[in-house]
Amino acid sequence: MTKGERESDSDKDLRPQRCVVCGYIYRSVTGDPDNGVEPGTAFEDIPEEWLCPICGAGKSMFMVVDD
Ligand SMILES: [Zn+2]
């Protein structure tokens, strides 16, 4: 699907990621189909130009939800 920056697919970080600006949580199982991110997409595999669907923050504003 992507052009293989990483070799191992088994190693993806599928933990939810929370937007620190608005609190939106991205979940890999759900993806963000409205914005072209298919369900099952690891956060690291989302295109860099993807923005938070709620507030428009970039990927750098997301942090792992570790609970
Ligand atoms: Zn946001």
Side-chain angles (χ1 to χ4, degrees):
M1 208 190 308
T2 52
K3 27 186 192 349
E5 313 96 285
R6 303 235 178 161
E7 293 302 326
S8 62
D9 272 1
S10 54
D11 224 17
K12 301 291 187 189
D13 188 348
L14 296 175
R15 288 176 294 178
Q17 299 264 350
R18 183 197 298 115
C19 175
V20 300
V21 178
C22 73
Y24 167 83
I25 295 180
Y26 173 83
R27 297 178 191 281
S28 296
V29 288
T30 313
D32 183 14
D34 290 346
N35 293 291
V37 180
E38 295 182 17
T41 304
F43 191 76
E44 64 185 272
D45 288 339
I46 299 173
E48 290 303 319
E49 61 268 25
W50 180 82
L51 300 172
C52 173
I54 306 298
C55 73
K59 282 181 69 179
S60 62
M61 299 303 287
F62 280 73
M63 291 182 61
V64 170
V65 180
D66 202 3
D67 57 11

